């Protein structure tokens, strides 16, 4: 007969494989959802309205503007804490 420890180990391995596969599929679905969300911005989901940014600039310009604002915030926080950049 089979050793009980071998059966338990095989069962655990199968279980971990099933969970890993399910998590991978969920991750891929979430990434696809985010890609679609970035391709079609809308007001209802809190995404950026491109008509209000830089006179109707595209999403790429909005990302650049957001990155610039984040950089400015980091600099101001560094100044406030007394750290020189």
């Amino acid at each position: 007969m089979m050793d009980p420890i071998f059966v338990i180990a095989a069962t655990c391995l199968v279980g971990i494989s099933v969970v890993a596969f399910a998590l991978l599929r969920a991750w891929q679905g979430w990434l696809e959802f985010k890609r679609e969300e970035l391709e079609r911005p809308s007001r209802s989901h809190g995404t950026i309205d491109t008509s209000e940014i830089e006179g109707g600039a595209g999403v790429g310009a909005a990302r650049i503007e957001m990155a610039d604002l984040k950089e400015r915030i980091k600099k101001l926080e560094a100044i406030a804490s007394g750290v020189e950049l």
Side-chain angles (χ1 to χ4, degrees), residues 17-33:
S17 298
V18 168
V19 169
F21 180 75
L23 288 174
L24 179 63
R25 294 286 295 175
W27 175 251
Q28 289 172 343
W30 184 81
L31 287 176
E32 184 62 31
F33 173 74

Side-chain angles (χ1 to χ4, degrees), residues 7-70:
V7 172
I8 291 171
T11 304
C12 289
L13 184 61
V14 169
I16 289 172
S17 298
V18 168
V19 169
F21 180 75
L23 288 174
L24 179 63
R25 294 286 295 175
W27 175 251
Q28 289 172 343
W30 184 81
L31 287 176
E32 184 62 31
F33 173 74
K34 288 298 181 180
R35 278 190 202 106
E36 289 176 7
E37 191 177 73
L38 287 174
E39 288 175 1
R40 54 175 172 76
S42 66
R43 287 179 181 253
S44 63
H45 294 97
T47 56
I48 300 169
D49 184 13
T50 58
S51 64
E52 296 179 5
I53 300 171
E54 299 277 338
V59 175
R63 289 184 188 161
I64 293 171
E65 185 177 353
M66 290 299 293
D68 184 46
L69 290 174
K70 288 179 182 179

